Amino acid sequence: CLVTALQNARERTLIAVKPDGVQRRLVGQIIQRFEQRGFKLVGLKMVQASHGILSEHYGELRTKPFFQSLLTYMSSGPVVVMVWEGHNVVQASRKMVGQTNPAEAPAGTIRGDFSVHVSRNVVHASDSQEGAQKEIQLWFQGKDLLDWDCCDQIYTIEV
Ligand code: IDP
């Protein structure tokens, strides 16, 4: 029914254009891919991320040898952090973004089209619905996420 379909369409994910993506002026093209797929933008901001927020965001990677260089990279310039909403958006975004290592990401994915090395892979996408919830809470205040009706949303949900 329509109510369930609208409910399912409220899944959210956190997408971030990393400092290399911002520096290389890829923000517009990355946003365009999510727009044209049919997802709805419900929050967006440009941030100079601190090591504090990045350590929390990447907490699961704390023991990895590349952790410190990851924080240095991610705080080397502004990031554009966004929340996108829509049916199956978490899984769909991971597919659109491609594998962590751009060498393995097929052409047609964001990483496969715009990056070459794992340490500079242009974009972040939450990897699960629980992860997305935590990340959205970490980066955004509730009041900065807008609940708005997109005039075409009846064409991007399950019918
Ligand atoms: P994901 O971004 O595809 O979810 P994760 O394994 O969670 O992948 O890693 C987070 C980020 O850490 C990657 O996007 C990448 O920027 C960085 N990273 C992962 N593996 C390596 C590595 O082997 N060397 C350098 N950076 C890495």
Side-chain angles (χ1 to χ4, degrees):
C1 74
L2 186 61
V3 176
T4 314
L6 284 168
Q7 206 52 45
N8 288 343
R10 298 206 49 187
E11 185 175 312
R12 289 177 170 181
T13 196
L14 186 101
I15 303 295
V17 183
K18 296 180 176 183
D20 50 335
V22 176
Q23 295 287 349
R24 293 174 55 210
R25 300 178 172 85
L26 297 174
V27 174
Q29 291 188 68
I30 291 170
I31 289 177
Q32 183 174 27
R33 290 184 181 221
F34 289 89
E35 281 192 327
Q36 71 191 11
R37 182 77 190 260
F39 294 125
K40 180 165 83 175
L41 183 62
V42 297
L44 174 141
K45 62 181 176 182
M46 193 177 209
V47 193
Q48 173 62 58
S50 66
H51 279 217
I53 195 167
L54 291 168
S55 303
E56 207 161 320
H57 178 84
Y58 283 127
E60 286 172 9
L61 301 176
R62 203 163 284 144
T63 57
K64 300 283 185 189
F66 57 82
F67 184 68
Q68 281 309 324
S69 58
L70 176 60
L71 298 197
T72 303
Y73 157 52
M74 287 296 295
S75 59
S76 65
V79 292
V80 172
V81 197
M82 303 174 266
V83 178
W84 288 88
E85 186 178 282
H87 182 74
N88 199 31
V89 69
V90 173
Q91 200 190 359
S93 305
R94 291 290 290 189
K95 287 199 175 144
M96 290 164 69
V97 163
Q99 278 89 334
T100 305
N101 184 351
E104 289 161 14
T109 63
I110 296 170
R111 286 170 174 163
D113 287 348
F114 298 133
S115 60
V116 289
H117 195 268
V118 68
S119 61
R120 298 284 185 268
N121 60 2
V122 170
V123 68
H124 167 81
S126 310
D127 68 358
S128 65
Q129 289 189 42
E130 306 78 69
Q133 265 180 15
K134 279 191 206 150
E135 292 174 5
I136 290 167
Q137 278 178 19
L138 178 66
W139 290 92
F140 284 91
Q141 296 196 308
K143 69 174 176 54
D144 294 327
L145 299 176
L146 302 190
D147 241 331
W148 60 289
D149 288 323
C150 199
C151 63
D152 70 356
Q153 67 193 11
I154 194 72
Y155 299 106
T156 56
I157 63 168
E158 183 186 358
V159 286

